[in-house]
Amino acid sequence: MHLPTLPPSLLPALQHVMRPLVRLMLKKGVTYTRFADLLKDIFVDVAEREFRLDDTPPTDSRISLLTGVHRKDVRRLRAKTAGQDVALPEIISFGAHLVSVWLNNSPFCKQPGQPLPIARLASMGGECSFDALVAQVSKDIRARVVLDEWLRLGVVRIDDQDCVHLETVAFIPQKGFDEKAAYFRHNLHDHACAAVHNLTETGAPFFERSVHYDSLSPWAVSQLREAVAVEGMQMLNGLNLLAAELEERDVPPPASRQRITIGLYFYTEPSPSAVSTPTKANSS
């Protein structure tokens, strides 16, 4: 079996990409040994699922050759590997759907993207209440359960008039590590999939672009951060509306369904000490 030639730029790139992930692991008590064991599992699973010949499952020996994992470990890991579902947990998907309805559907918003404060109880607000909002999405989940959880996560607040205010323009919990980790898992995975596809596959690339400068003042960075928060969310809200309309208008058969992720991010840190010329670039 012919193994591909390792591009000299790949390992330095992977080393750089891994730094924030290692920072997260060290902050949360994940040791090198524990992560190395996890990586073994992932190497074996990906090799088994995605590197087949003529759709035939690879042998333990072939996986060992591909991955560098000892054949005994390959046999042990194949016996227990079940793969990972890349979809968001159901409770997260439900929350995202609920926020989308609040943001974009009458009578819960002034206009798309401008959610209204709504009465907590249907007895006070009728169809423009949190009770009615939850009932519009699911008849099986009690509004009080959702409200208590959203108050815990910082998604909503309740004012003195017993009205519920949406505190975010997307279901991104302000509290709750497990909920934040679900988005970390989903978003970073899909961004990495797009980038890896563009690096390794032929044909049309996925859209993946960024703007980067390295000589901005703290004031300029704060202006850009605010612009991303406002204009970026306007763009995502528009795409959310379009996706919802298309989902309703063009219903595919179950076997043809596809999922998408569209993201936007902002990051800043001190520039290297060396003085450099301001730059702007797009990556693909």
Side-chain angles (χ1 to χ4, degrees), residues 17-270:
V17 168
M18 284 299 301
R19 293 188 69 86
L21 299 181
V22 170
R23 186 185 310 133
L24 170 66
M25 286 185 270
L26 292 178
K27 283 187 174 182
K28 297 301 179 181
V30 179
T31 63
Y32 165 77
T33 303
R34 189 167 185 180
F35 187 62
D37 287 340
L38 180 65
L39 273 181
K40 274 187 186 179
D41 202 335
I42 298 169
F43 266 80
V44 170
D45 186 45
V46 172
E48 180 175 19
R49 293 170 180 272
E50 301 184 25
F51 287 80
R52 300 186 173 200
L53 297 175
D54 300 324
D55 205 32
T56 301
T59 63
D60 291 350
S61 295
R62 183 167 186 268
I63 290 180
S64 180
L65 183 61
L66 277 171
T67 64
V69 177
H70 195 281
R71 193 166 59 180
K72 289 182 179 179
D73 287 332
V74 170
R75 189 181 306 114
R76 172 179 59 83
L77 292 169
R78 291 185 84 177
K80 75 177 188 69
T81 296
Q84 293 290 326
D85 184 6
V86 297
L88 283 167
E90 185 175 351
I91 188 63
I92 301 290
S93 297
F94 174 79
H97 187 187
L98 207 58
V99 168
S100 179
V101 171
W102 195 344
L103 278 168
N104 299 307
N105 292 59
S106 177
F108 308 109
C109 66
K110 184 176 182 180
Q111 61 183 39
Q114 296 184 16
L116 292 168
I118 55 180
R120 180 171 65 88
L121 300 173
S123 59
M124 297 296 294
E127 291 303 308
C128 189
S129 65
F130 195 79
D131 285 347
L133 173 67
V134 174
Q136 185 164 320
V137 176
S138 174
K139 305 293 186 183
D140 300 323
I141 300 178
R142 291 175 54 234
R144 183 71 219 189
V145 173
V146 178
L147 182 61
D148 287 345
E149 181 67 2
W150 280 19
L151 288 168
R152 180 183 74 85
L153 296 174
V155 175
V156 296
R157 66 177 174 86
I158 299 178
D159 64 20
D160 295 339
Q161 283 71 48
D162 207 26
C163 288
V164 186
H165 296 249
L166 185 62
E167 291 289 274
T168 176
V169 289
F171 186 73
I172 304 175
Q174 304 302 310
K175 307 171 186 176
F177 183 84
D178 290 345
E179 290 78 10
K180 290 181 181 180
Y183 274 105
F184 168 83
R185 170 177 174 257
H186 182 274
N187 294 344
L188 208 56
H189 170 273
D190 283 7
H191 191 171
C193 282
V196 169
H197 171 90
N198 294 347
L199 197 61
T200 60
E201 304 295 331
T202 57
F206 288 112
F207 187 87
E208 196 219 356
R209 298 288 186 271
S210 63
V211 174
H212 33 99
Y213 283 74
D214 61 10
S215 298
L216 290 167
S217 69
W219 177 84
V221 169
S222 69
Q223 297 301 299
L224 287 164
R225 187 195 297 268
E226 184 176 344
V228 170
V230 175
E231 297 175 26
M233 281 311 306
Q234 287 177 349
M235 181 193 73
L236 290 176
N237 280 330
L239 291 170
N240 179 56
L241 275 174
L242 176 60
E245 292 170 4
L246 291 172
E247 184 179 53
E248 188 172 334
R249 184 194 316 162
D250 185 28
V251 181
S256 300
R257 291 177 182 171
Q258 295 199 27
R259 68 178 191 87
I260 66 159
T261 299
I262 303 170
L264 182 73
Y265 66 93
F266 174 90
Y267 179 70
T268 183
E269 68 178 11

